[in-house]
Amino acid sequence: KTEVLMIFKPTQVLFAPTYQCNLSCGHCSVPQGNVRLPVSQGIKFLKQCRQAGIKELGFTGGEPFLYSKFLSAVSREAVKLGFRFDRITTNAGWFKDQGSLERTLRQVIEAGYNGMFCVSIDSFHKVPLTKIARFITAVVQMTGRVEGISLVYVGSIYRVRGLARLMQGQISRIGRLVAPLRQNFPGLSAKITRINLCPIEKAGVLASPWSR
């Protein structure tokens, strides 16, 4: 009898540097609070991940842009260590005004981050579509990349359709979950991904888990 030993070898580290978030969504299982991972601890773990052969890095949350100091410091170290960036997942509604949006994005971009900006546009969210459009426009203008945006949603696609109309774009090939989203930038497109939500954890105690 031959026994095969299967060894799990991760290829990506995904940091959730803070539980802090500007939203409070009923389906979210992340605990609310101002808990933050110390930058020094994050960098130490990042180095250990690189020594273990992990080469890809991403950020989620909470809302990671509310802890931009962590994003920029860890991104800067990741560049030195030769990591490839995957994505920063954001609700795109964390900024107070255009100035704070641009300052924070500039800080992260100048640190060397060149991965995707993944906008969570769930039907549960209360972020105005105009604000999401401002975030996407700022990212494209500041990075000079028309392929750096992706969209992910839980629930109905109606907010994605609303964003497309607002940005004078269109959605195509929904079945393949790839949809060009064009505004005033030639070639601007965003991949759209739908996440299925099952009535478990917090959603399981709601009166109507499938409501908005």
Side-chain angles (χ1 to χ4, degrees):
K1 180 180 178 180
T2 303
E3 184 175 315
V4 179
L5 179 63
M6 301 297 292
I7 299 177
F8 171 67
K9 188 175 182 180
T11 59
Q12 181 189 82
V13 56
L14 186 61
F15 276 107
T18 180
Y19 285 158
Q20 187 179 2
C21 188
N22 54 298
L23 302 177
S24 181
C25 301
H27 72 294
C28 183
S29 60
V30 177
Q32 291 284 320
N34 294 323
V35 177
R36 290 183 168 188
L37 178 66
V39 171
S40 59
Q41 188 174 342
I43 290 177
K44 179 181 179 180
F45 183 70
L46 186 72
K47 292 178 178 179
Q48 293 172 341
C49 289
R50 191 66 186 89
Q51 291 171 356
I54 298 176
K55 299 179 180 179
E56 192 170 85
L57 168 65
F59 301 94
T60 184
E63 171 50 59
F65 277 107
L66 293 180
Y67 193 10
S68 58
K69 176 182 178 181
F70 186 96
L71 293 183
S72 57
V74 172
S75 292
R76 190 174 294 108
E77 187 65 28
V79 171
K80 297 177 183 178
L81 295 172
F83 274 86
R84 184 181 78 83
F85 292 108
D86 178 30
R87 68 194 182 279
I88 299 176
T89 300
T90 175
N91 60 56
W94 48 268
F95 57 95
K96 295 180 180 179
D97 50 40
Q98 191 68 22
S100 64
L101 168 61
E102 294 179 1
R103 283 193 301 273
T104 302
L105 285 178
R106 186 176 298 109
Q107 180 183 7
V108 174
I109 293 168
E110 290 181 352
Y113 180 82
N114 60 2
M116 297 291 292
F117 292 83
C118 178
V119 178
S120 178
I121 185 171
D122 295 354
S123 54
F124 299 91
H125 292 178
K126 305 298 183 183
V127 178
L129 294 179
T130 52
K131 205 168 189 181
I132 295 176
R134 286 169 63 191
F135 175 84
I136 292 174
T137 300
V139 167
V140 175
Q141 289 177 336
M142 297 180 71
T143 63
R145 296 168 53 217
V146 294
E147 77 291 347
I149 297 290
S150 65
L151 305 175
V152 60
Y153 72 98
V154 169
S156 172
I157 197 174
Y158 79 96
R159 278 175 57 80
V160 181
R161 288 178 175 147
L163 180 66
R165 289 192 297 270
L166 179 64
M167 300 188 72
Q168 301 177 353
Q170 62 183 1
I171 299 175
S172 64
R173 294 187 297 176
I174 299 259
R176 297 180 60 186
L177 301 178
V178 178
L181 180 64
R182 301 182 182 88
Q183 190 207 25
N184 298 320
F185 306 98
L188 173 62
S189 65
K191 179 179 179 180
I192 299 175
T193 303
R194 181 177 187 270
I195 298 177
N196 290 322
L197 177 64
C198 296
I200 58 175
E201 296 184 358
K202 285 189 178 181
V205 301
L206 298 177
S208 176
W210 306 110
S211 70
R212 295 180 184 177

